[in-house]
Amino acid sequence: MMTSLVESLRAAGCVFAEEEAELLRGAARDDAHLVELLARRVGGEPLEHVVGWAEFCGLRVHVGAGAFVPRRRTEFLVQEAVALTRPGAVVLDLCCGVGALGAAVAAQSPGGVELHAADIDPAALAYARRNVAPYGGRVWEGDLYAALPAGLRGRVDVLVVNAPYVPTEEIALMPSEARRHEPLVSLDGGADGLDVHRRVAAGAPAWLARGGRLLIETSARQAPSTASALTSAGLSVRAVTCEERHATVVIATAAA
Ligand SMILES: C[S@@+](CC[C@H](N)C(=O)[O-])C[C@H]1O[C@@H](n2cnc3c(N)ncnc32)[C@H](O)[C@@H]1O
């Protein structure tokens, strides 16, 4: 069974066929279920959707059909956010998807945080609810800041954001696993990719605490435009990069 599993995965173009076979076996309830999972994977579904979890910052986060799979690149944003998070901080994961960033920041903050996560997509939020629950996190549904309770205004110490930033015309160039299995709302950032970034930036000052930080993932190419949107909103900015992970994050600070 194991050999044919590996062969089927390899024939379908899975580069890490042995590892994937192990993961599928681990996720299957029985042989019939394994056959079903294999068919989904061979049919092109992301491995994480098929097994029901993704590894992120050492956590197993719940994820599944119809949700964006957290990328390892985004672990860099979490690393930067944790360094800026004091015990008891109010942390908001905006455009949270399955809530991986917020959960990871909370998991790495020994003093605990007040965690909030928000997204427009109810399918993603169903997973986020489960992922932030161990940290007492609360989940809000709606369009950016409109989702949030008024009581959060001016109280957010650390705002982590991985919003869509792919320019519309470049969606067609993405791997088919993303194009076919992740919702367009999780990928499409508009003509230059920065529609959501501009709206996140414009709304941030009203929600950040004095001296609060906003960390937003972008690309090296788009970083100057992301930074300029945040500067226009009255925040001071710096960009940090991690070459190993091909990650760029703009960090903005509200006036103290
Ligand atoms: C690139 S995915 C990232 C998800 C998550 N932050 C992560 O890194 O795993 C972008 C997310 O932004 C959400 N989103 C897009 N437009 C939004 C909006 N106007 N308001 C709230 N969430 C939005 C999508 O539903 C999606 O979950």
Side-chain angles (χ1 to χ4, degrees):
M1 182 67 168
M2 196 65 182
T3 314
S4 66
L5 195 58
V6 172
E7 280 165 5
S8 304
L9 288 163
R10 196 167 286 133
C14 300
V15 180
F16 302 105
E18 279 88 0
E19 289 88 336
E20 291 205 12
E22 283 296 334
L23 292 170
L24 291 180
R25 282 190 82 82
R29 289 186 298 274
D30 51 36
D31 282 353
H33 190 213
L34 181 57
V35 170
E36 196 186 303
L37 297 183
L38 176 64
R40 287 175 57 192
R41 180 61 184 137
V42 165
E45 272 193 59
L47 179 66
E48 293 85 351
H49 283 185
V50 176
V51 299
W53 57 272
E55 191 183 336
F56 187 77
C57 291
L59 301 176
R60 272 193 178 196
V61 295
H62 301 287
V63 66
F68 181 88
V69 178
R71 308 295 203 258
R72 301 304 291 267
R73 164 193 307 129
T74 307
E75 294 180 341
F76 177 59
L77 187 156
V78 169
Q79 179 189 312
E80 294 293 316
V82 168
L84 298 169
T85 303
R86 59 168 176 75
V90 176
V91 175
L92 169 62
D93 181 354
L94 192 62
C95 296
C96 69
V98 302
L101 282 69
V105 171
Q108 293 181 43
S109 300
V113 299
E114 179 184 323
L115 177 60
H116 299 265
D119 200 283
I120 202 166
D121 181 358
L125 287 175
Y127 298 104
R129 222 165 256 121
R130 295 170 69 193
N131 288 322
V132 303
Y135 313 101
R138 303 194 58 188
V139 158
W140 309 97
E141 180 183 332
D143 182 13
L144 295 184
Y145 302 100
L148 303 175
L152 259 189
R153 267 183 187 271
R155 289 188 56 233
V156 177
D157 298 302
V158 179
L159 173 48
V160 292
V161 190
N162 181 25
Y165 59 88
V166 181
T168 305
E169 283 195 347
E170 292 178 22
I171 303 272
L173 309 176
M174 294 187 78
S176 79
E177 281 188 21
R179 272 188 289 111
R180 290 177 47 215
H181 296 282
E182 292 180 320
L184 193 58
V185 70
S186 72
L187 306 173
D188 190 350
D192 68 350
L194 298 171
D195 282 0
V196 185
H197 282 199
R198 281 185 284 271
R199 293 181 58 217
V200 167
W207 296 87
L208 286 172
R210 287 171 189 270
R213 302 308 215 309
L214 182 160
L215 299 95
I216 186 164
E217 183 174 297
T218 186
S219 68
R221 173 169 55 104
Q222 293 161 303
S225 303
T226 301
S228 148
L230 290 158
T231 308
S232 300
L235 304 171
S236 52
V237 302
R238 66 190 169 94
V240 288
T241 56
C242 172
E243 286 185 11
E244 193 189 333
R245 293 189 179 98
H246 302 290
T248 301
V249 172
V250 175
I251 303 178
T253 307

